[in-house]
Amino acid sequence: MTDRRLPVVFLVLVLAAAGPAHAQDTRRLSADDAVRLALENNLGIQVARLNPQLQDLSVAQAQAAWVPTVTSSVQTSSTDTPNTSFLSGSQGNKTTDKRLLSNVGVTQLTPWGGSYAVGWDASRATTTNLFSNFSPQLRSSLSVDIKQPLLKNWKIDAARQQVMLSQKNREIADLDTSQTIATTSRAVRNAYWDLAYAMASAAVQRQSLELAQQSLRETNQRIQIGTTPPIDAVAAQAEVAQREEAVIVAEAAIDTAQDALRALIFNPSAPDFWTTRIEPSDPVDFRPIAVDVDGAVRRALDQRTDLQQTRKSLESSAINIRFSTNQTLPDITAVFDYGLTGLGGRQFVRGSGFPGPIIGSTDRGFGSVLGDLFQNQFPTWTLGVNVSYPVGRSQQEAALARLKLQSTQVATQLRNAELQVVTQV
């Protein structure tokens, strides 16, 4: 029996001789202090807190669909065309045309599913063509194009759908963060009391070892005076060996509980992360609490974050159904285009004949060209309605039927989850 004790005793001696690798600091914490540290340092909570920020960016990205876009360009060109007849309008063997063009435009989607585009163009052109009445020629134009859906994409379109879905995802991210905080706080409290239990259990095992050692000493004394047979020492030694093993197991359980709580509440990048020992300071307080079952059920159904997330998913499904329902409507779009043009430059005055000799010229500067625009001298407008509607069962109708079925599935899952919650309570 003595040989059986040797491995256990040897392990105890090795652990005692080795001691801690680093000096350990003891930190007394209450359960509330542990939860507070977890809220500050827990990596899972830090990850969950990033989700609302990511969803804020998703909302901003979806809302950027209505940001106006400004476009601008400047280009110059020169074209030499070989003369093929006397009507080519140029002396020599080629006709040269040069052009400088610039434009500025603004396009934007409207919150009602439509769009508009405003553009302003300005150009200056020169030519060696004798038939041209302007050289250089100055031209400017202003255009406004408006498109407005009247049925499909009027009350809701893809841009508004994405904004509403991203806002729902933002609300779900808040619920997910709250759930992570609640779950982590519960895990911290459980780990805290597991550590307290492990320490109390180790203290009990040490007391049991002391009693077993005392019993062994008393047995040896009785053997020495002849009142107890030597065989009784074997049973006492076995009891001491068992108690020593129980102490080792209990101390290992303390280290395991320390690591579990440490990982939940401390910052892993701290230099003393692995060396700080935690000592629970809260006393164990058992108090009976009267439970209002009906009130607990109502609170669980109203406040459980998993149920709230499912309800938000149902709201997202309703948005998708609303959009798909709108997509099944006929596509009727009103189109309005309005344009203004101004012309100027050096205009030649010709005499009689064809093409007529140039007998003079008049100059109209770029200010006069802009005056033509603002005075609405040469307007052009178009008003129309475009209608399109698929014949037969469309993709939108099939997608709508699928979304409705999925929404029914989610609603059934919600009722099942509510039943499970009531059962758990």
Side-chain angles (χ1 to χ4, degrees):
M1 182 62 65
T2 304
D3 293 339
R4 274 189 257 174
R5 289 184 53 210
L6 287 178
V8 176
V9 175
F10 178 75
L11 179 60
V12 173
L13 294 176
V14 169
L15 292 175
H22 302 280
Q24 294 183 338
D25 296 329
T26 301
R27 187 168 181 178
R28 289 177 56 84
L29 294 175
S30 65
D32 292 337
D33 291 337
V35 172
R36 177 182 55 81
L37 289 173
L39 295 179
E40 296 175 358
N41 300 320
N42 185 265
L43 296 180
I45 292 179
Q46 293 179 19
V47 171
R49 283 174 175 165
L50 293 176
N51 289 330
Q53 301 179 35
L54 293 174
Q55 293 303 324
D56 284 337
L57 296 177
S58 297
V59 173
Q61 183 179 2
Q63 292 175 341
W66 295 306
V67 173
T69 300
V70 179
T71 60
S72 177
S73 67
V74 177
Q75 63 182 23
T76 181
S77 63
S78 177
T79 304
D80 291 335
T81 305
N83 296 332
T84 58
S85 70
F86 71 95
L87 295 176
S88 297
S90 176
Q91 296 179 351
N93 61 353
K94 65 179 180 179
T95 301
T96 301
D97 296 309
K98 294 183 178 180
R99 179 180 293 271
L100 176 64
L101 176 65
S102 66
N103 65 72
V104 177
V106 178
T107 61
Q108 184 180 14
L109 297 179
T110 64
W112 310 280
S115 64
Y116 73 87
V118 178
W120 176 69
D121 298 332
S123 64
R124 183 181 187 277
T126 60
T127 182
T128 58
N129 193 324
L130 298 177
F131 294 110
S132 175
N133 286 334
F134 286 90
S135 184
Q137 182 185 92
L138 303 179
R139 181 182 292 273
S140 183
S141 62
L142 180 66
S143 62
V144 178
D145 301 328
I146 300 175
K147 295 181 180 180
Q148 177 58 52
L150 302 180
L151 284 179
K152 182 180 179 180
N153 293 326
W154 180 28
K155 292 185 177 181
I156 185 173
D157 60 349
R160 281 173 285 180
Q161 178 204 22
Q162 292 303 316
V163 169
M164 289 186 285
L165 289 177
S166 61
Q167 291 172 344
K168 289 300 176 184
N169 291 334
R170 174 63 170 82
E171 296 172 1
I172 293 175
D174 284 337
L175 294 173
D176 182 67
T177 302
S178 300
Q179 183 177 10
T180 301
I181 292 175
T183 302
T184 304
S185 299
R186 181 181 61 190
V188 168
R189 293 186 182 275
N190 289 340
Y192 181 89
W193 292 115
D194 287 343
L195 176 59
Y197 168 80
M199 288 183 170
S201 177
V204 172
Q205 297 301 330
R206 294 189 191 99
Q207 292 177 359
S208 298
L209 175 60
E210 292 175 358
L211 293 175
Q213 290 172 343
Q214 181 180 356
S215 176
L216 177 60
R217 289 193 295 268
E218 293 175 353
T219 300
N220 290 331
Q221 291 175 358
R222 289 194 295 270
I223 292 174
Q224 290 176 359
I225 63 177
T227 58
T228 300
I231 192 64
D232 289 350
V234 176
Q237 292 172 355
E239 182 68 18
V240 170
Q242 292 176 356
R243 297 307 175 186
E244 289 175 345
E245 180 183 5
V247 169
I248 294 175
V249 173
E251 291 178 349
I254 292 177
D255 292 336
T256 302
Q258 289 271 355
D259 291 341
L261 183 57
R262 179 184 293 112
L264 288 171
I265 66 175
F266 286 156
N267 184 0
S269 61
D272 57 347
F273 177 76
W274 292 109
T275 59
T276 301
R277 293 189 62 83
I278 305 169
E279 182 177 338
S281 61
D282 282 350
V284 180
D285 187 15
F286 296 100
R287 289 178 298 175
I289 299 177
V291 178
D292 180 8
V293 178
D294 293 336
V297 169
R298 287 193 300 270
R299 285 193 299 272
L301 293 178
D302 292 338
Q303 301 178 11
R304 280 278 292 259
T305 54
D306 52 349
L307 297 181
Q308 293 178 358
Q309 288 177 342
T310 305
R311 294 188 184 103
K312 292 298 180 182
S313 297
L314 270 178
E315 295 175 4
S316 298
S317 297
I319 294 173
N320 290 328
I321 290 175
R322 177 186 172 192
F323 173 72
S324 295
T325 301
N326 180 267
Q327 295 301 297
T328 61
L329 299 175
D331 187 1
I332 302 177
T333 304
V335 180
F336 177 70
D337 299 331
Y338 193 82
L340 298 172
T341 301
L343 183 64
R346 175 169 296 177
Q347 184 177 10
F348 299 125
V349 179
R350 296 182 180 274
S352 59
F354 179 80
I358 298 175
I359 59 176
S361 64
T362 59
D363 291 331
R364 297 190 78 238
F366 193 67
S368 300
V369 176
L370 295 179
D372 291 343
L373 293 181
F374 294 123
Q375 295 175 13
N376 201 18
Q377 292 293 328
F378 307 102
T380 302
W381 59 270
T382 302
L383 180 63
V385 177
N386 300 327
V387 180
S388 65
Y389 188 73
V391 178
R393 187 176 180 86
S394 63
Q395 295 181 352
Q396 290 78 8
E397 291 174 341
L400 176 60
R402 178 182 178 84
L403 288 173
K404 287 182 177 180
L405 189 60
Q406 290 176 343
S407 179
T408 302
Q409 185 183 42
V410 175
T412 305
Q413 291 174 349
L414 175 60
R415 291 196 298 270
N416 181 56
E418 291 174 342
L419 176 61
Q420 297 298 324
V421 168
V422 173
T423 303
Q424 292 172 2
V425 173

